[in-house]
Amino acid sequence: MPVYPSVRDHAVALCERAGYDVTVRPERSLDGPPALADPTADAVGLVEPSEPRLVAIEPLTEADIGPAGLVPRFADALREDRDCLFVVPSTEDTGTTLTQVVATVLGEPACVAADEPDGRQFYKGPDRVPLSDGSYACARAPASDLQWREVRVDEGRPRLELSVGTEIVAVFEHVDALAAPERHAFQYAYRRAEDGRFEVTEGDEVVERFPGPTAMRRGGYAPVPMPIVPEHLFPRGPTPPGGPSASPTAARIS
């Protein structure tokens, strides 16, 4: 993950001023946050002043500042019983906007695009949708046009729909049905063939072949992203017991 060293260093200084001992992890490390702040006996909590906890420091680039970059990091921090300090680079043009994006994604409704009486609208996550035959779901539409949402049709659980505009391209009984979708749930799927090329299939028939994922997207087929469903990431919901201390802190660094 690319890190702006100056942004990380400002976050480290902020935590040290609040009485934390900070450990900066190697830049090439892919496991865990770039830095961890451990409260000392004199620490003042960044979220709940009287209850300082371990803080995951997460410097963000502009590419990270969206649901797919934010929510998994937030979920990792909460699973480890940590507070989370997101820090964004500040420029005259974008600093405030980037901080607002963080606050919008992680604010109410937490980690979902919308929460309405008929169901939720979900953000698209970083993961693809794997299918029962070993392939991955794709759609003949730009990824930006794909929308996951719940639709309430009776007193039971809302069904889950994937749509492109007004066209519904996949339907599931509910969000948990995405745990093991069958191949027939989607019209199109793709897989890597033995020669390394990407094959797009419709049913059992190969309809297109591409040298790689970029060419596949340019050819009109986008991998279907897994929706970000809060209860799949947060076993007790996006705000676990502990009240305000479970919340993230977003900081803009000049």
Side-chain angles (χ1 to χ4, degrees):
M1 179 185 70
V3 172
Y4 293 148
S6 61
V7 175
R8 181 197 61 207
D9 293 347
H10 276 289
V12 168
L14 184 154
C15 289
E16 288 177 340
R17 289 196 301 270
Y20 289 75
D21 286 333
V22 181
T23 301
V24 177
R25 300 167 62 87
E27 290 190 10
R28 294 182 179 273
S29 175
L30 299 177
D31 182 23
L36 285 172
D38 194 1
T40 66
D42 298 325
V44 176
L46 300 184
V47 176
E48 181 59 45
S50 63
E51 298 181 10
R53 301 198 307 171
L54 193 68
V55 175
I57 296 175
E58 291 284 4
L60 301 173
T61 68
E62 292 183 33
D64 298 322
I65 300 174
L70 289 169
V71 178
R73 288 173 169 85
F74 185 34
D76 287 345
L78 295 190
R79 278 195 296 268
E80 297 296 328
D81 198 31
R82 300 166 178 161
D83 285 332
C84 190
L85 174 62
F86 289 106
V87 195
V88 302
S90 176
T91 67
E92 187 174 333
D93 295 329
T94 63
T96 300
T97 300
L98 298 179
T99 306
Q100 289 172 340
V101 171
V102 176
T104 297
V105 172
L106 300 181
E108 293 296 333
C111 304
V112 295
D115 190 357
E116 301 171 345
D118 288 338
R120 296 168 293 180
Q121 294 183 21
F122 297 106
Y123 292 124
K124 295 185 282 285
D127 297 325
R128 302 168 294 171
V129 176
L131 303 177
S132 57
D133 66 348
S135 63
Y136 291 89
C138 66
R140 194 160 192 173
S144 59
D145 291 347
L146 298 173
Q147 176 64 63
W148 285 105
R149 64 175 182 173
E150 289 177 320
V151 177
R152 191 174 298 280
V153 294
D154 53 34
E155 295 301 317
R157 298 180 67 183
R159 72 187 182 200
L160 179 67
E161 295 182 353
L162 176 66
S163 61
V164 178
T166 58
E167 179 186 2
I168 299 172
V169 297
V171 178
F172 293 88
E173 184 180 4
H174 45 65
V175 293
D176 293 341
L178 271 180
E182 297 292 335
R183 168 63 188 89
H184 62 74
F186 295 88
Q187 181 178 2
Y188 298 104
Y190 72 98
R191 63 193 177 209
R192 186 187 293 271
E194 292 183 0
D195 62 2
R197 294 174 66 86
F198 278 47
E199 296 181 340
V200 175
T201 61
E202 183 175 8
D204 296 328
E205 180 182 357
V206 176
V207 294
E208 297 278 0
R209 287 171 58 85
F210 299 97
T214 300
M216 187 177 79
R217 290 184 178 91
R218 289 174 178 169
Y221 296 93
V224 173
M226 188 75 79
I228 295 176
V229 180
E231 59 266 34
H232 291 172
L233 294 174
F234 310 98
R236 298 180 181 86
T239 304
S245 64
S247 302
T249 297
R252 189 179 74 238
I253 299 297
S254 300

